[in-house]
Amino acid sequence: MKIQLLLIVCGVIVEIKSYRILGVFPMNSKSHNNMFDPLMKGLAKRGHKIDVVSHFELKNPPDNYKTIINLHGTRQDLTNNVSVEFASQIGHDPIIHIATTYGNDFCDLMALEKMQKFIKNPPHHYDLIITEAFSSSCYIGLGYVLKAPVITVSTLLDFSWVSEAIGNPSSTAFATNVFMNKAFISTFFERLQSTFVHHITRFRFQRLTEKRQTEAMRKYLDPNMPNVRIVERSVALMFTNYHHSLYGPKPFTTAVIPIAGIHAEQNDDEFTPELKQWMDKSTRGVVYFSLGSMILIESLPSDILLAFYASFSKLAPIKVLMKVANRDKLLPGLPDNVMTSSWIPQVPVLRHNNTKVFITHGGLMGTLEALYYGVPLIGLPFFSDQLPNMEIYVKKNMAIRLDKNAINEKKITEALNSILTDPKYKNSAKLESLLFRDRPMSILDTANFWVEYVIRNGPNALRSPAIDLHWWQVELLDVYAFMLFSATIIITLIALFVKKILQMVLKKFSNPQNSKKNQ
């Protein structure tokens, strides 16, 4: 009887702590989704009931995890579908692509029949909604119609418009902007550039999205929806892909929680038996080469591909594992020590003892995985955060960067030989891995605590007062202007008073009659 009572009590406790959470992720980028999946699966492992709207349906989800709307096929697939040339073009002006192609256009997914059925007749009451903090702020509006607090997830460095919406300090004096293409700020002109880029990108993004996304919410969610800029400010908390050991200390409002590395910590991918055997037998070492889930290695210019071929052939008996979506599009002449595959479980490869170096485009998700498992890098960045990411790893002595515009066989070979023979790169990677993983609790436990905190205490428990101020008020420009104006008035009055006194004294001593009277 006592045992039964105890089981009932335990069941009640578990039920009380089990919440129903909706995840809505309209971005069809596999790399972005690599952060959402472990977060949502991790919350399911903690006993919460998870419903997800996504382009990427899990193959073997936990029992309490369900993809209620599969968006796959509703947008052009980005996985293994971006050429090197197109990636370089995006880098010229990424704001337009982010705001329109990957922002406004994704709001129209709410027009889908299956989305409208869900919005108008949700199957459950949700205790919390989780969506991405990037470009489609219209989905934050689901919190209004479903009457639930909203948590956002930033898979990249915090964007200026995202930081402002949640009241986070911009810190442009020392914290780099993702659009600056550099990781460190040290001079006056770099501080000037950082501040300029921060405000210009925020202004451009808001100008390109405000009308379009507000109209989308009023059309697809509720005709009485407020402006999207107001909707953005309703976010209760934001998880960010940030850690101080990588980017340095930075002030955060209480509503911003860093969980960088959760995708590496919670990854449960496994080798195929064939790849596991190949990795285990490669005892002389493995060089892993991948340009992420989007950029195609086979689209590299012919001279660069041939340069890699020539360099890889010199590595034998060291082997090379290369992610290639379509081997038929590769140039002929691939060395015998190179193995290619259209799909490679990246975390198991980076975790394997035989992996010696990771040749990467420098995307945040992949480099964080390498950092988590202490693997040195050779970077071939193309655009956006890839450039500052690689700059950081180079400064930490765990990477060498190659310039995509000046790459040749000699530079590739020199980089590989340096990483493979100089122990400083591996030692630095191990040290940085220890720093990155040194935390008071697991990343998933951190995320779970704050999810439950928001549900328990409501959407305004962590709200920053800065949200209700204009950016120039947060930066105290009005205060400094008033102080300068006041100081100018006071100095002017003092100057006029002194001038008047001097004029009176000079007039007194310059008047002959006054002088005679005094005699």
Side-chain angles (χ1 to χ4, degrees):
M1 184 67 181
K2 290 182 178 180
I3 294 177
Q4 291 177 336
L5 181 61
L6 180 61
L7 290 174
I8 292 173
V9 171
C10 290
V12 171
I13 293 174
V14 170
E15 183 63 29
I16 290 174
K17 290 187 177 181
S18 177
Y19 298 108
R20 188 171 291 279
I21 300 171
L22 172 67
V24 181
F25 308 111
M27 179 68 176
N28 60 334
S29 168
K30 181 63 176 175
S31 59
H32 287 229
N33 194 71
N34 284 344
M35 188 171 181
F36 307 141
D37 271 357
L39 173 62
M40 303 309 290
K41 284 196 298 183
L43 294 174
K45 292 176 182 177
R46 293 297 185 269
H48 303 300
K49 300 179 181 67
I50 306 298
D51 288 348
V52 172
V53 177
S54 171
H55 295 267
F56 304 94
E57 185 169 4
L58 288 182
K59 294 181 179 179
N60 298 300
D63 292 338
N64 49 335
Y65 181 112
K66 183 179 180 182
T67 300
I68 56 172
I69 298 178
N70 187 347
L71 297 174
H72 181 70
T74 59
R75 283 292 183 271
Q76 182 180 5
D77 196 355
L78 294 176
T79 304
N80 295 327
N81 201 26
V82 175
S83 68
V84 168
E85 181 181 1
F86 181 71
S88 299
Q89 291 174 356
I90 293 176
H92 294 315
D93 191 2
I95 284 290
I96 293 178
H97 291 277
I98 291 172
T100 58
T101 306
Y102 304 128
N104 298 342
D105 292 353
F106 280 98
C107 292
D108 292 332
L109 290 174
M110 291 190 289
L112 295 172
E113 182 180 357
K114 51 190 174 184
M115 285 291 290
Q116 282 297 298
K117 285 182 178 180
F118 171 79
I119 292 168
K120 293 176 181 178
N121 188 26
H124 312 284
H125 167 72
Y126 292 99
D127 299 295
L128 180 74
I129 298 170
I130 299 178
T131 190
E132 184 172 11
F134 182 43
S135 53
S136 298
S137 299
C138 51
Y139 287 91
I140 300 173
L142 287 169
Y144 278 76
V145 296
L146 300 181
K147 295 179 174 54
V150 177
I151 286 179
T152 56
V153 184
S154 177
T155 62
L156 302 172
L157 287 173
D158 305 330
F159 293 95
S160 53
W161 55 88
V162 171
S163 294
E164 182 193 48
I166 205 165
N168 202 51
S170 61
S171 307
T172 58
F174 58 88
T176 189
N177 187 291
V178 68
F179 299 108
M180 280 185 64
N181 294 336
K182 65 185 298 127
F184 305 102
I185 298 173
S186 56
T187 68
F188 166 78
F189 289 104
E190 287 172 346
R191 295 198 304 273
L192 178 64
Q193 180 189 8
S194 173
T195 304
F196 181 80
V197 169
H198 176 87
H199 292 297
I200 289 298
T201 54
R202 175 187 57 81
F203 172 78
R204 289 188 65 205
F205 176 84
Q206 292 178 344
R207 181 177 62 84
L208 289 167
T209 60
E210 183 166 351
K211 180 180 178 181
R212 179 81 158 71
Q213 297 199 17
T214 299
E215 290 175 348
M217 290 190 301
R218 290 172 180 170
K219 182 177 181 181
Y220 303 130
L221 294 178
D222 188 324
N224 299 314
M225 288 291 298
N227 186 285
V228 69
R229 299 285 88 88
I230 296 175
V231 169
E232 288 172 336
R233 297 172 190 169
S234 67
V235 171
L237 180 142
M238 179 176 74
F239 290 126
T240 181
N241 212 1
Y242 171 94
H243 192 262
H244 63 271
S245 71
L246 185 61
Y247 293 109
K250 178 182 176 180
F252 284 121
T253 177
T254 50
V256 177
I257 306 298
I259 59 167
I262 190 170
H263 68 296
E265 177 193 78
Q266 295 299 313
N267 184 276
D268 53 8
D269 290 343
E270 296 181 354
F271 284 117
T272 61
E274 296 79 14
L275 183 56
K276 178 67 165 60
Q277 185 180 37
W278 186 88
M279 289 291 300
D280 290 342
K281 288 184 175 180
S282 303
T283 55
R284 297 296 295 272
V286 172
V287 173
Y288 174 49
F289 184 16
S290 171
L291 296 182
S293 62
M294 295 167 56
I295 301 178
L296 299 166
I297 285 179
E298 54 268 41
S299 70
L300 284 168
S302 299
D303 58 329
I304 295 179
L305 265 178
L306 292 175
F308 274 109
Y309 286 5
S311 183
F312 290 160
S313 66
K314 297 176 182 177
L315 288 177
I318 294 174
K319 295 183 180 180
V320 178
L321 178 61
M322 193 160 71
K323 178 182 171 292
V324 177
N326 188 344
R327 180 162 175 158
D328 293 337
K329 293 185 178 181
L330 276 177
L331 291 173
L334 196 68
D336 293 337
N337 63 326
V338 178
M339 176 180 177
T340 67
S341 177
S342 60
W343 178 84
I344 295 174
Q346 185 159 284
V347 169
V349 169
L350 295 174
R351 188 167 50 211
H352 199 283
N353 290 333
N354 289 340
T355 302
K356 304 302 181 185
V357 60
F358 177 22
I359 304 177
T360 172
H361 64 310
L364 184 57
M365 305 304 287
T367 57
L368 286 179
E369 291 164 355
L371 175 63
Y372 194 88
Y373 290 105
V375 179
L377 303 165
I378 293 177
L380 186 63
F382 292 90
F383 65 95
S384 188
D385 67 324
Q386 298 165 14
L387 291 94
N389 288 343
M390 290 315 307
E391 186 181 355
I392 290 172
Y393 291 111
V394 168
K395 188 172 182 179
K396 291 180 177 294
N397 289 324
M398 62 172 289
I400 294 174
R401 176 185 165 183
L402 298 174
D403 185 349
K404 64 181 176 66
N405 297 316
I407 191 171
N408 54 44
E409 177 191 342
K410 180 181 178 182
K411 292 180 179 179
I412 297 171
T413 301
E414 287 177 349
L416 283 166
N417 287 339
S418 295
I419 295 285
L420 293 170
T421 60
D422 190 340
K424 80 172 183 180
Y425 294 102
K426 183 61 178 178
N427 293 338
S428 296
K430 287 182 177 179
L431 174 61
E432 295 300 332
S433 177
L434 290 173
L435 292 172
F436 184 64
R437 298 171 72 161
D438 189 2
R439 314 189 191 197
M441 65 178 79
S442 75
I443 309 172
L444 177 58
D445 285 343
T446 300
N448 184 72
F449 171 83
W450 288 107
V451 161
E452 294 182 355
Y453 183 94
V454 168
I455 295 173
R456 289 195 306 266
N457 298 292
N460 296 320
L462 302 170
R463 194 175 191 272
S464 170
I467 294 175
D468 300 318
L469 300 175
H470 296 288
W471 69 266
W472 43 268
Q473 292 174 312
V474 174
E475 301 294 341
L476 295 177
L477 295 187
D478 54 342
V479 174
Y480 293 136
F482 176 78
M483 292 170 63
L484 180 61
F485 175 77
S486 300
T488 302
I489 294 296
I490 292 171
I491 292 171
T492 301
L493 291 175
I494 292 174
L496 291 173
F497 178 76
V498 170
K499 181 180 179 180
K500 188 67 175 177
I501 295 296
L502 289 174
Q503 287 176 342
M504 293 174 61
V505 170
L506 291 174
K507 183 177 181 182
K508 180 178 181 180
F509 283 100
S510 63
N511 192 326
Q513 294 180 351
N514 289 340
S515 300
K516 290 179 179 180
K517 288 180 180 180
N518 290 336
Q519 291 177 353

